[in-house]
Amino acid sequence: MPAHVFAVHLSARHRFSKETALCISLLAGQGVAGDAHCGVTVQHRSRLARDAHLPNLRQVHLLQRELFVELAATGHHVHPGELGENITTEGIDLLALPTGTELRVGPDVLLRLTGLRNPCVQINRFQPGLMAAVLDHTADGALVRKAGVMAVVLLGGEVAALDRIDVQLPAGRHTPLRPV
């Protein structure tokens, strides 16, 4: 099966986990309609405290379902939406994509990847030891963050489970994703 949406989630309140929905509506330049992180400027609480006027580069949080399988092997049983993602994907290595990659989701939605989600202390409150499980290191010691990627909405529309995801890599030299 080609890369696709496994499930979609949102929460109107600033909570760690999000509720699964049948579909979500994405708004260009803002994020997921009805989600606490929807907005043109930053909506994440820690970023609001620093500078509430910065652009929102974290409009949509995507996380690959394959991480849940990996976590289960280490004793961490986590389900889609519980790590706060809006879109759970399947069949695509999100972490390997460069900054600026565009994802066509379903027939209408176009997202642009802005960076990695930097896992915060809340992840260990959700499940002790989970922070270490979503962090890894390369052979040369570089930190690998596996808690998903962040994106902005270029073209809005509806997204639901089983929607196809097509990847368009950016032209020119590719820059690895960094935390945003």
Side-chain angles (χ1 to χ4, degrees), residues 84-162:
E85 77 274 14
N86 298 111
I87 300 175
T88 309
T89 66
E90 188 168 43
I92 182 172
D93 186 358
L94 295 169
L95 303 176
L97 298 172
T99 302
T101 297
E102 292 183 356
L103 302 178
R104 171 73 63 184
V105 184
D108 301 318
V109 172
L110 185 63
L111 304 175
R112 179 176 292 143
L113 299 187
T114 56
L116 296 168
R117 176 190 182 199
N118 198 20
C120 67
V121 68
Q122 288 186 52
I123 203 163
N124 273 342
R125 289 185 201 137
F126 176 72
Q127 227 178 81
L130 191 56
M131 175 74 91
V134 298
L135 296 174
D136 204 350
H137 291 87
T138 63
D140 63 354
L143 184 64
V144 176
R145 293 167 176 87
K146 301 185 286 185
V149 301
M150 306 307 289
V152 294
V153 182
L154 300 179
L155 296 172
E158 302 292 314
V159 174
L162 301 180

Side-chain angles (χ1 to χ4, degrees), residues 9-101:
H9 323 276
L10 76 155
S11 176
R13 296 185 2 240
H14 283 278
R15 300 178 41 217
F16 183 73
S17 298
K18 296 184 185 289
E19 294 105 32
T20 299
L22 292 176
C23 71
I24 55 176
S25 179
L26 278 69
L27 305 172
Q30 296 185 55
V32 179
D35 191 86
H37 293 99
C38 185
V40 174
T41 56
V42 293
Q43 299 298 309
H44 193 273
R45 286 191 219 175
S46 67
R47 284 161 179 78
L48 278 168
R50 280 187 246 150
D51 188 345
H53 299 92
L54 291 175
N56 187 1
L57 301 178
R58 300 167 53 98
Q59 295 173 7
V60 181
H61 176 199
L62 298 97
L63 185 67
Q64 54 202 42
R65 181 178 176 268
E66 292 81 359
L67 176 63
F68 300 129
V69 175
E70 181 183 329
L71 292 174
T74 66
H76 294 281
H77 299 285
V78 182
H79 302 283
E82 289 184 338
L83 293 182
E85 77 274 14
N86 298 111
I87 300 175
T88 309
T89 66
E90 188 168 43
I92 182 172
D93 186 358
L94 295 169
L95 303 176
L97 298 172
T99 302
T101 297

Side-chain angles (χ1 to χ4, degrees), residues 156-180:
E158 302 292 314
V159 174
L162 301 180
D163 279 352
R164 182 182 169 122
I165 301 173
D166 292 309
V167 176
Q168 177 65 47
L169 297 174
R173 189 167 185 254
H174 292 172
T175 304
L177 293 167
R178 303 257 186 264
V180 291

